[in-house]
Amino acid sequence: MTEYSLHSAIKDWYSGSGDALEVKVDDFIIDVLRGELLIEIQTGNFSAIKKKLIKLLPNNQVRLVYPIAKLKWIVHVSRSGEFVRRRKSPKKGKLTDLFYELVHAPSLIKDRNFSLEVLLIEEEEIRCNDGRGSWRRRGASVKDRKLLDVFDRIVFEDSRDFLEFLPKELDGYFTNKVLASKMGISVRLAQKITYCLRKMGAISIAKKKRNELLFQLS
């Protein structure tokens, strides 16, 4: 399966009157064309669409739409496709999860023709215990992802918009550890955030203290 139902459902939900779907632009098929705005929906793996966006941006306004599952339901089916059980996933997606993907293409936000829109959604994930999936899912493979609802939508148009992620109480220099503590996230995620903000030009490295980088607002 090259495209889950989630992609098609978001495309249908997102498109409005006057929009055109599956339009060819510069040798590429675009999900939604809204006037002069090209809208691409990516449910994961920013690195897979990065080259396409880079080629489109010089002559087009492009918006990348990315969903994050604020609420997820896990549905298990048998190998024959019969329903087994349904449960709520304990994992709740947050807006900061964006950086797990954005880290693959943070410089795009510096392009005046680029914008990014995050949808916080309710999603249903269909799994089958066929032994072909990730060890994290105990071998269960993901057969489909479905859109149930959209809770919110947030648009980022330039690097200043991303400064909203930084806690207001940050004063002067800060490290990844300090940022992680203030935001209540892992140091690993804080590192991805500061990497992205640096590539956007929103923050810069002020100096290095022992083995830690100290950042400041640009």
Side-chain angles (χ1 to χ4, degrees):
M1 182 178 295
T2 57
E3 181 179 298
Y4 292 122
S5 299
L6 179 63
H7 183 277
S8 297
I10 290 176
K11 183 167 54 181
D12 292 339
W13 177 90
Y14 197 92
S15 59
S17 177
D19 293 346
L21 305 182
E22 303 295 326
V23 179
K24 187 175 183 180
V25 178
D26 296 344
D27 296 325
F28 295 104
I29 300 299
I30 305 302
D31 289 326
V32 182
L33 178 62
R34 179 173 297 165
E36 296 183 353
L37 178 63
L38 280 54
I39 301 168
E40 280 290 285
I41 298 161
Q42 188 73 358
T43 58
N45 194 1
F46 279 19
S47 58
I49 199 173
K50 181 179 179 180
K51 290 183 179 179
K52 179 180 181 179
L53 298 178
I54 290 174
K55 290 182 179 180
L56 287 169
L57 281 170
N59 302 311
N60 304 279
Q61 291 184 333
V62 182
R63 173 164 297 178
L64 182 63
V65 178
Y66 176 65
I68 294 175
K70 183 178 180 180
L71 175 60
K72 179 186 287 189
W73 298 89
I74 308 296
V75 176
H76 288 269
V77 298
S78 65
R79 297 194 181 193
S80 60
E82 296 176 342
F83 174 83
V84 176
R85 65 182 182 277
R86 185 177 192 259
R87 64 179 176 84
K88 182 186 292 187
S89 172
K91 183 179 179 181
K92 296 182 179 180
K94 299 179 180 179
L95 191 56
T96 49
D97 292 343
L98 164 67
F99 291 96
Y100 287 113
E101 287 298 333
L102 189 58
V103 72
H104 299 295
S107 298
L108 289 176
I109 200 66
K110 293 195 297 183
D111 194 307
R112 64 173 60 188
N113 283 336
F114 179 78
S115 61
L116 174 65
E117 182 166 357
V118 177
L119 304 181
L120 296 178
I121 68 169
E122 180 179 4
E123 173 186 334
E124 190 173 70
E125 185 175 276
I126 312 300
R127 296 182 183 180
C128 178
N129 296 316
D130 54 9
R132 299 177 181 177
S134 167
W135 62 269
R136 292 185 179 87
R137 297 188 297 270
R138 299 181 181 179
S141 60
V142 178
K143 295 300 183 181
D144 201 4
R145 296 172 63 193
K146 298 182 178 181
L147 177 67
L148 299 183
D149 197 4
V150 177
F151 299 120
D152 200 2
R153 51 197 301 182
I154 305 97
V155 177
F156 301 91
E157 295 184 324
D158 57 42
S159 60
R160 291 171 296 182
D161 293 333
F162 285 88
L163 291 177
E164 294 297 320
F165 282 97
L166 298 181
K168 303 299 182 184
E169 59 269 24
L170 279 180
D171 186 24
Y173 304 136
F174 63 94
T175 65
N176 285 314
K177 287 183 179 178
V178 169
L179 182 62
S181 176
K182 296 286 186 181
M183 295 182 67
I185 60 176
S186 67
V187 173
R188 177 171 172 265
L189 179 52
Q191 291 171 336
K192 293 182 183 297
I193 293 174
T194 55
Y195 173 81
C196 289
L197 295 182
R198 282 168 52 201
K199 290 297 183 179
M200 295 174 192
I203 66 172
S204 59
I205 298 175
K207 54 185 175 180
K208 187 174 182 180
K209 184 178 181 181
R210 298 177 183 173
N211 293 324
E212 288 188 304
L213 295 176
L214 275 74
F215 304 101
Q216 64 181 358
L217 298 180
S218 295

